[in-house]
Amino acid sequence: MKITVKGAYAFRQLGQRSNQEDSCWPETPQAADRVFVVCDGVGGIDKGEVASSCVCQTLAAFFRDKDFTEHSLDMGDFEKALHLVYDEIEKADPAHKGMGTTLTFACVNTGGVFLAHIGDSRIYQLRKDEGVVFQTEDHSLVQELVNAGIITEEQAKTHPRKNVITRAIVAVGDGERDNATIDIIKKVKPGDVFLLCSDGVSGTLDNQQLVEVLTADDTLENRVKQLANQCREAHDNNTAIVFEIGDVEADEEADEEQLPELEIQENIPPEMPQNAESILEKMAKWVRNQFNR
């Protein structure tokens, strides 16, 4: 299939934080771009910023010269890119002090829109008159609690541990590297809007508000400016890349595809327990092991 990008814009704002730990690539996206990345660094002042920037720059260098207007994104290429990302994080944090980052990645190619994410940064596909037609699922403690039926989605928004993530790109030495969840969106229509964002955006505006802003009858540039204005005073750093689909020539009707999670060093999450206390204990232990807390 052939998919064009009508336009793309980005913003990166401090919010109420004193340090910027989000990164994105490209920083000033254009309609000709086909690869987009947003990362939210974790690990404290400076470390998070280094980690998120490292991932963005590594992916930018890997995919910069690839032509996705005539080719699809090969899973083998993405696997190589993710291995390289982890290798570069190891170099940047040789003492394994907990520097890490989330990841959202989108690639518009002849196979559809290839999406990958790690952590609680999100990717949305929005469509006028239909709303949110696709949304990634956070790798977070509260999402696991929601999935287990222990808390509701509304309770998750104010949960005291809502910021605890269960996956991140982090230096682990010989330990297990977290998987990326991969989705390939093949049902794409002209005018569809894709949003990659850190939780400073998704935690500030709910789905309805995102739809109202990003599918409004205005230019994409103005819509993204409006989104930035509404997130400017967010509690956290807030970063987004928004791109709009132009023309679509589909080979045949196809469903969205979620691939088996990309395994890095055979990291297979164990089955989630159904008891709330055991979930909290398990996740707390996981976080301590990953970030040396």
Side-chain angles (χ1 to χ4, degrees), residues 71 148 221:
H71 302 283
E221 181 179 12

Side-chain angles (χ1 to χ4, degrees), residues 209-274:
Q209 292 170 311
L210 291 174
V211 170
E212 289 174 355
V213 173
L214 292 178
T215 65
D217 293 324
D218 204 341
T219 65
L220 182 63
E221 181 179 12
N222 286 342
R223 282 176 271 162
V224 175
K225 285 181 178 178
Q226 178 66 17
L227 180 65
N229 286 337
Q230 293 196 25
C231 294
R232 193 175 309 278
E233 299 302 321
H235 176 71
D236 202 354
N237 298 156
N238 52 97
T239 298
I241 292 180
V242 182
F243 64 90
E244 184 173 359
I245 299 299
D247 297 326
V248 178
E249 295 180 17
D251 297 328
E252 59 184 24
E253 189 70 15
D255 292 329
E256 291 87 0
E257 180 179 1
Q258 184 174 56
L259 300 182
E261 294 198 347
L262 183 62
E263 294 185 358
I264 305 297
Q265 295 186 0
E266 300 298 321
N267 179 19
I268 303 175
E271 183 178 354
M272 199 68 191
Q274 298 301 307

Side-chain angles (χ1 to χ4, degrees), residues 63-225:
F63 288 108
R64 193 186 306 277
D65 296 326
K66 297 187 182 298
D67 180 11
F68 291 112
T69 62
E70 299 294 335
H71 302 283
S72 63
L73 174 55
D74 181 77
M75 274 296 298
D77 271 352
F78 183 78
E79 184 174 5
K80 290 177 184 176
L82 193 56
H83 273 290
L84 182 59
V85 161
Y86 272 105
D87 290 345
E88 291 302 313
I89 287 289
E90 292 286 346
K91 294 177 184 178
D93 188 20
H96 307 149
K97 293 182 179 179
M99 182 182 77
T101 182
T102 67
L103 167 70
T104 57
F105 170 94
C107 175
V108 181
N109 63 94
T110 59
V113 182
F114 183 108
L115 307 177
H117 80 285
I118 296 174
D120 64 352
S121 296
R122 291 183 186 173
I123 308 174
Y124 300 82
Q125 180 188 8
L126 306 100
R127 184 174 296 153
K128 191 172 182 61
D129 298 326
E130 294 186 39
V132 176
V133 295
F134 173 82
Q135 175 183 327
T136 53
E137 183 175 284
D138 295 349
H139 301 138
S140 67
L141 171 59
V142 293
Q143 186 62 55
E144 297 287 5
L145 294 174
V146 169
N147 291 348
I150 295 168
I151 64 173
T152 66
E153 291 186 4
E154 282 301 312
Q155 290 172 326
K157 294 177 182 178
T158 57
H159 194 280
R161 303 189 69 189
K162 66 180 181 179
N163 293 326
V164 175
I165 58 175
T166 55
R167 300 189 200 182
I169 297 176
V170 62
V172 292
D174 294 330
E176 295 177 338
R177 293 175 169 182
D178 283 338
N179 304 334
T181 297
I182 309 296
D183 295 277
I184 298 177
I185 308 298
K186 296 184 178 181
K187 285 187 175 180
V188 184
K189 294 184 179 182
D192 281 1
V193 174
F194 283 83
L195 164 66
L196 288 73
C197 64
S198 62
D199 64 345
V201 174
S202 60
T204 301
L205 300 181
D206 61 25
N207 284 19
Q208 182 178 349
Q209 292 170 311
L210 291 174
V211 170
E212 289 174 355
V213 173
L214 292 178
T215 65
D217 293 324
D218 204 341
T219 65
L220 182 63
E221 181 179 12
N222 286 342
R223 282 176 271 162
V224 175
K225 285 181 178 178

